[in-house]
Amino acid sequence: MRWTDDHGIVLVDILAGRLLTATTDRPADPFRQLAHLPFPLSAVAPVADAPGTWIAAAGTGICLLTPGTPPHWLARPEADVDTGTGPARPMRMNDGTADPSGRFWAGSMAYDAHDGAGSLYRVDHDGTVVRVLDGITVPNGPAFTADGRTMYLADSARGVVRRHSVDRATGGLGAPEAYVTVDDGSPDGMVVDAEGAVWIAVWGTGTVRRYLPDGCLDRTLRLPARQPAGVCLREDLLYVTSARVGLAAPGPYDGAVFTVRVDVPGRPADPYRHGPDSSRKEAA
């Protein structure tokens, strides 16, 4: 889920392959569908200077989505991947976002959440897709501080969120540092607010938690849904998605989207900046 300047709140229905948008001033209205793909659609970011175009983590790779045209694939690095444990394991992309420098980042995972099968990819301004981390089980996030110098990445299956420094000029990552460990659930979607605190949806617990930059728990929000999945901040309104998948007996609010007024605002999602001049604009 993301807050964008052009489309307001957008969210993905991953396994159904749908990109949806919510009417922010009429929250009871149904979602409007922006795109529907015949494979999982895991995350998107708007493309700068290209209204209606999205970069997407979808299926086994990264593509550009433009209304009325087929997906334009930049790369499909998880197609027929040999994970080193025998035959190729079915893989898909998972969560992703753009950073303040205009690069796009997205993780991958095995459908069966096989230990260590996932990776984190970075899409540079020229469309090159680079694997920057591997050995992850279920990557969620990443989330970036407003200055783009710090990235948070969850490995949900292992219950840990790690922090990396980011070189804004190259997109290079520093060594991982343990930020938060969750013992009673799985850290899922994340967003960083204006004070640098990180809001984390904790799958399986019915909670969203705000952690300060030093990793201390600041507050816990409780929801009537067991599997909070994604979060975003639209100014001082926190949006939370939840999931029904895997629940034998979903409750009436499992799969719903929630809003909560909070004290510290956020900012719109960063766009992906595509093209040969983008890195020079960032350096300037």
Side-chain angles (χ1 to χ4, degrees):
M1 172 178 278
R2 299 287 180 262
W3 169 37
T4 70
D5 282 327
D6 293 338
H7 289 280
I9 297 296
V10 296
L11 62 154
V12 292
D13 189 349
I14 295 176
L15 298 180
R18 297 192 301 160
L19 176 61
L20 306 171
T21 183
T23 305
T24 55
D25 58 344
R26 296 191 302 276
D29 284 3
F31 296 123
R32 183 168 60 89
Q33 183 170 288
L34 297 176
H36 187 197
L37 303 179
F39 37 75
L41 174 59
S42 300
V44 300
V47 176
D49 303 320
T53 299
W54 305 86
I55 188 169
T60 56
I62 310 291
C63 63
L64 296 173
L65 302 177
T66 302
T69 65
H72 171 67
W73 291 98
L74 301 178
R76 294 190 233 197
E78 295 293 352
D80 300 323
V81 168
D82 181 357
T83 61
T85 57
R89 185 176 300 278
M91 302 286 292
R92 69 168 176 85
M93 301 304 294
N94 203 44
D95 202 2
T97 193
D99 68 17
S101 297
R103 298 179 180 91
F104 184 69
W105 304 70
S108 67
M109 60 176 285
Y111 274 95
D112 64 359
H114 184 77
D115 186 60
S119 299
L120 179 70
Y121 295 92
R122 185 189 71 231
V123 185
D124 291 331
H125 301 299
D126 64 358
T128 302
V129 178
V130 181
R131 181 186 275 113
V132 292
L133 294 173
D134 57 15
I136 310 165
T137 301
V138 180
N140 272 296
F144 291 86
T145 53
D147 63 7
R149 300 185 186 279
T150 302
M151 180 190 79
Y152 295 92
L153 181 70
D155 192 339
S156 300
R158 295 170 176 166
V160 63
V161 178
R162 298 184 179 93
R163 175 165 50 197
H164 296 257
S165 62
V166 183
D167 185 324
R168 289 197 59 164
T170 66
L173 296 181
E177 172 191 355
Y179 172 61
V180 166
T181 299
V182 176
D183 297 322
D184 59 340
S186 300
D188 205 315
M190 302 181 289
V191 67
V192 181
D193 67 23
E195 292 182 348
V198 185
W199 290 91
I200 303 175
V202 185
W203 182 279
T205 68
T207 67
V208 177
R209 302 173 190 178
R210 184 180 190 255
Y211 291 89
L212 300 178
D214 62 3
C216 289
L217 178 63
D218 173 65
R219 72 191 70 174
T220 299
L221 303 178
R222 300 196 176 275
L223 305 172
R226 282 169 280 179
Q227 297 180 157
V231 290
C232 78
L233 280 163
R234 174 179 166 249
E235 297 174 344
D236 63 347
L237 197 61
L238 180 73
Y239 284 74
V240 185
T241 60
S242 65
R244 297 166 61 90
V245 63
L247 294 175
Y253 297 108
D254 289 311
V257 177
F258 303 90
T259 58
V260 183
R261 192 73 62 182
V262 295
D263 298 331
V264 182
R267 59 191 187 87
D270 293 298
Y272 170 60
R273 299 190 178 278
H274 185 52
D277 295 330
S278 296
S279 59
R280 289 196 290 271
K281 288 178 182 176
E282 174 58 30

